[in-house]
Structures are given as C-alpha cells and as structure tokens.
Amino acid sequence: MGARPMERGPHGVALMLFALVWFSCAWFGSWELNPNNATRLFAAFSIVERGDATIDRFQSLTIDKARFGDHYYMDKAPGMTLMAVPLVWAVEKITGGETDTQVIDAANPRLMRFMALRLRVAVALGAALLTAFAAVLLLDLATGITGSPAAGLYAALSYALGSIVWGWSTTMLGHAPVAALLLIATWAIWRGTSGAAELARWRYPLLAGLALGWAVVVEFQAALGGVAIAGWALWRTRDVAWPVRGRVLAMAVGTGIVAMLPLFAYSLFTFGTLFRLGYQGVVGFNGMQQGLFGLTYPKPEALFGILFGVRRGLLWVSPVIMLGAVGLAGMIRTRETRDLGVLAAVVIAIVLMVNASYVYWDGGASIGPRHSVPAIPFLAIGLAVLWARWRGAGRRAALVALLVVSVAVNLMIASTDIFGSEAYADPLWSRTIVAMFLPGNLSTIPSDFFGWSAWRGFFLYLDVAVPLLVLLIVWTRAAEHQAR
C-alpha cells in the first residue's frame, strides 16, 4: 500500500497518446482473407444474417475451421467474433448489403471489398481501441512507478508502436487484445491497491474482473496469465481488513464471471451444449491432437526461435522491447517495485512457455512470434524503469535511437501486412521490406477504399501522426519539468 499518492500520467499527454495509437492502428489494414481474420468474420456474418454460427457457405475460403457432423464452424475462441457482431450488424444496416448478395469466391472483388469494410470497422472499434486504451494506462502505471512522465511515454510508445502489437492490432486476431486486457487488469489492481482511498473505489475491481474475464473469452490460454494476475491481487490486498478485502475481491470475481458468460452462451447457441469448443473439431491440423489442443511441453529450440530466430524472433521485429528485461531485473531488486516486477516476469514466462509448448509455435503466416504478443506490455513496464535509471545523455540517446528503429520497423510491418508467408526464411527483410514496403504494396484507408495511391495514403498518415508525436514530446517535456 502506497504511503503517498503516486504520480499520474499527464491527462493531456494521455489524450494525445490515445489519439495517436488508435489512429495508427485503425489507418492500416490486414488481409481480409487471412484464415484467422476470415473465419471470425464468417461466423459474425452468419450470426447477424441467419441467426446461427455455421460457416458452411464460406468454409471453402478458410483453412481455419471446425467440423461437427455435416456443418462447419469457426474453430477459435469466440471473443473477437462476438465483439464484431454488433458492428457487422450496424454496417449492414447502414449499407444495406448482406452476404446473400455476394458470390462466395476468393476471386470476387466485390466480396473482398465487402469483407474489408467490415474488418476495418471491427478492428477500429475493437483491437485498435483496446491497444490505445492500454497504452494510456501503461503511461499512467509507468509514470507512477518512476515519477517520470517521460519514462511513461517511452514505455507506452515502445509497447504500442515500437513492437508487433501495432501490426497485430490491425487484425481480428486475439493476440493484441489479450495483451491489452492483461495490462488493463494489471493497471486496475496496481492503482486500486495503492491506497485506502483507491480501495474504496468500485471501478478498479470492476475493471480488473471484466478485463481478465473477457481475455479468456478472446483467447482461452489467457486464463494462465490471468491466474498469475489474480494471485498478485491477493498478495497486494493481504494486509487489508477482511470486510474491505472481501468486498473488493467479490466484486472482481463477480464481474469476471459475468464477462465470461458470453463464452458459455456462444457454446450453447452454436453447439447446443456448454461442453464443446471449436478446437475439438479442427479440420486439417493434425498437430492439434497432440497434448491439450497442440500444447505439450516447452521446447528449447522453439523458445530460441521465438526470442532470437531470424524467421520469427522478437529481437528483430521489436528490438526495443527486448531491453525491458533489464529494467524488470532492476524492479525485482527494488523493494518498492518488487511485486510488480515479479508479476511481470511471471506473466512473460507463462506466455513464452505456452508459446514454446505449442506444436505450431511459429504461428504459420506471421511476422514475429504472434502467440507471444501478450508478453510485450509486461516487458514494456521494464523499459520505463530503464529510462528513469539511465540518466546519462549517451544512454538516453541510445534508448531513443532504438525506439526510433523499432517504430520504423513496425511502421513498415503495419502498413504492409502482418501476415508473413511461411515460404520466407527471413520474412521481415525479404517479404515486408523488399517485396512489399519498398514497391509500395501498402494498405491504408484512402488507398483501399477511395482509390488513392498507396504512397499518398502512407504520407497522409505521416502528416497527421508526426505532428501528434511532436506535441506528445513537447507536452511530456513540460510535464517532466513540472514533476521535477
């Protein structure tokens, strides 16, 4: 329990950061027919238009599917589809279009445009919003533990724009949303247990419970990281009187259960039973029969590939994030931040071990280790501590330079396509940079929907994003001087 109020992320900086991150994630797009995107969209179309969750009509367009009896279904956790359902419904009410008017063929440009519009809306009001919100909370958390708004901004930018979180926030996949939800829950527990006044506020346990519960609906394995975070909440409240502690914990658990109810409702609605998951009927991926839906035990070679391998290694696509481990080591050695540092290290270890245990650990068509994305915000927490402790001009310049490189790399990834072909041994260089970015194979809102050239859409993004970033830096410098 904090003895004094902790510093908060400056409100003006927070608003500007939210705008920059949301705009950056919503402006660029991903391929609508990637099997992970497509199967989630198809399930949403069926729920909205026909009142069932079968994808029989669309199943030939995706390899990611489940089969039970004579029907095909989405094989994923339902969270991202359920988030998209009201948005797909709204778009169809506004445009008047339904899939019944479309020829279901991958060569049909009208179908591609139909899917792309709904995908963009689902991303802009789903993954992009969650990532932007989490970036703001990371700014607040990092500012609170270091007393430095500059450290907070450094961590938030590294997480949202200096890592593959950016690219995965342009899709309907659950990796970036789970990363955001786990961070949101961590912030709510950290802030909500920082003093007696905060313990009396219902919004913190409410938010923590909702975030952890919904994370499981989005990706089932999020439950493992969620257990660690819940255990940390018990530790943080160990000295709180039982009437207060019981109320806080009961509210968090209750809202967590409420957040998970859509998962059970979806299973009942789709399969007629609470005891069936889409993964049980996966078609074509025999590795899913190993262990628990493809999870066995961590393989050292997979872990090396996740962190350092040229093909999928986090080091190459998010170099600044890797330094967060140094900051976390410092947090663990410091009494005031030890519990948060240990939690971050445990969540990172859980995510990496689960990824290294998965038979398809490389994520198939992927830039970077997509299954390890939920570890990124917890590494970013360490970056804030590193910034605050590395006060020398040379060290700060090195940190800034590494962030600039990381943002540039991820700008190229997000503006092309986060789904890297499995055919490339070094997809970041050979595919993203050489085959896509340099020739101008970019995906922006103006180029995809309004007929602009790809580079015009790209430079329009820079025309908006660069001034926002400059304002962020100027306002953060002013807040830093005020904090001092």
Side-chain angles (χ1 to χ4, degrees):
M1 303 292 291
R4 62 179 179 81
M6 289 177 288
E7 294 284 349
R8 287 188 175 270
H11 290 174
V13 174
L15 290 173
M16 194 66 67
L17 176 66
F18 182 92
L20 174 61
V21 173
W22 179 83
F23 174 67
S24 298
C25 296
W27 188 255
F28 300 111
S30 62
W31 185 35
E32 58 275 4
L33 268 185
N34 175 270
N36 276 277
N37 275 334
T39 194
R40 289 173 167 91
L41 278 174
F42 295 152
F45 295 163
S46 295
I47 292 171
V48 169
E49 297 175 8
R50 296 196 306 276
D52 67 54
T54 61
I55 62 169
D56 298 339
R57 188 168 178 236
F58 314 102
Q59 62 88 16
S60 63
L61 299 185
T62 178
I63 59 172
D64 284 354
K65 54 197 171 188
R67 183 172 182 174
F68 296 99
D70 296 328
H71 296 291
Y72 289 93
Y73 302 86
M74 173 182 68
D75 63 341
K76 311 298 182 186
M80 298 306 295
T81 291
L82 296 177
M83 289 170 63
V85 162
L87 304 173
V88 168
W89 176 87
V91 171
E92 296 198 352
K93 288 298 180 183
I94 294 170
T95 63
E98 294 187 355
T99 56
D100 288 342
T101 66
Q102 303 291 327
V103 176
I104 307 303
D105 190 325
N108 177 11
R110 290 185 65 246
L111 176 63
M112 297 305 100
R113 188 176 180 87
F114 179 95
M115 292 179 63
L117 175 60
R118 285 146 183 81
L119 175 62
R120 287 300 189 88
V121 173
V123 166
L125 299 179
L129 274 180
L130 282 172
T131 296
F133 183 44
V136 168
L137 298 188
L138 180 55
L139 168 72
D140 183 67
L141 187 154
T143 301
I145 63 175
T146 63
S148 167
L153 181 63
Y154 187 82
L157 289 177
S158 298
Y159 153 68
L161 302 182
S163 79
I164 51 172
V165 165
W166 187 355
W168 291 111
S169 297
T170 67
T171 74
M172 276 186 70
L173 279 69
H175 311 306
V178 165
L181 289 165
L182 294 182
L183 179 63
I184 289 167
T186 300
W187 172 86
I189 294 167
W190 168 80
R191 182 60 77 180
T193 58
S194 61
E198 282 73 17
L199 275 168
R201 293 176 177 155
W202 58 268
R203 61 177 178 265
Y204 296 119
L206 178 67
L207 184 59
L210 289 175
L212 291 179
W214 190 251
V216 176
V217 183
V218 173
E219 293 284 355
F220 299 136
Q221 66 269 27
L224 299 175
V227 168
I229 295 171
W232 179 62
L234 292 174
W235 171 261
R236 293 275 292 186
T237 58
R238 66 193 183 281
D239 295 328
V240 177
W242 257 110
V244 176
R245 191 187 192 202
R247 174 184 59 79
V248 169
L249 296 178
M251 184 173 296
V253 171
T255 53
I257 293 172
V258 169
M260 291 181 63
L261 289 179
L263 170 60
F264 305 112
Y266 173 84
S267 294
L268 194 61
F269 169 77
T270 303
F271 305 119
T273 174
L274 296 176
F275 306 105
R276 177 176 290 175
L277 303 175
Y279 286 117
Q280 293 173 270
V282 167
V283 175
F285 291 90
N286 294 330
M288 295 294 288
Q289 306 306 316
Q290 299 180 24
L292 179 64
F293 301 130
L295 292 175
T296 54
Y297 59 90
K299 285 83 171 177
E301 62 275 16
L303 183 60
F304 180 86
I306 290 164
L307 294 175
F308 308 112
V310 174
R311 186 162 173 261
R312 291 289 184 268
L314 190 63
L315 173 66
W316 308 105
V317 293
S318 308
V320 70
I321 286 297
M322 299 293 282
L323 271 182
V326 179
L328 289 180
M331 290 178 66
I332 294 171
R333 289 195 299 266
T334 304
R335 184 177 62 83
E336 291 80 8
T337 57
R338 182 171 298 141
D339 66 312
L340 179 58
V342 169
L343 171 73
V346 169
V347 173
I348 292 165
I350 289 172
V351 172
L352 293 178
M353 291 303 103
V354 169
N355 193 170
S357 300
Y358 187 38
V359 64
Y360 302 114
W361 66 267
D362 64 348
S366 171
I367 299 294
R370 63 185 177 93
H371 296 295
S372 289
V373 165
I376 290 176
F378 295 91
L379 283 165
I381 293 172
L383 285 174
V385 174
L386 199 62
W387 176 274
R389 293 185 176 184
W390 284 13
R391 298 179 182 274
R395 287 184 169 185
R396 289 278 175 88
L399 287 176
V400 170
L402 191 57
L403 176 57
V404 169
V405 169
S406 295
V407 171
V409 167
N410 284 283
L411 173 58
M412 290 187 284
I413 293 172
S415 63
T416 52
D417 191 7
I418 191 69
F419 300 114
S421 170
E422 296 181 71
Y424 292 92
D426 56 345
L428 174 62
W429 173 255
S430 299
R431 182 180 184 272
T432 298
I433 298 175
V434 174
M436 298 196 74
F437 184 78
L438 294 179
N441 296 321
L442 314 178
S443 177
T444 68
I445 289 176
S447 60
D448 290 351
F449 295 100
F450 304 122
W452 288 33
S453 72
W455 285 117
R456 285 186 67 194
F458 180 82
F459 285 115
L460 179 57
Y461 165 77
L462 293 181
D463 286 343
V464 176
V466 171
L468 284 176
L469 181 59
V470 171
L471 279 176
L472 265 177
I473 294 170
V474 170
W475 290 359
T476 302
R477 284 174 61 87
E480 187 80 3
H481 288 306
Q482 185 176 0
R484 289 176 182 174

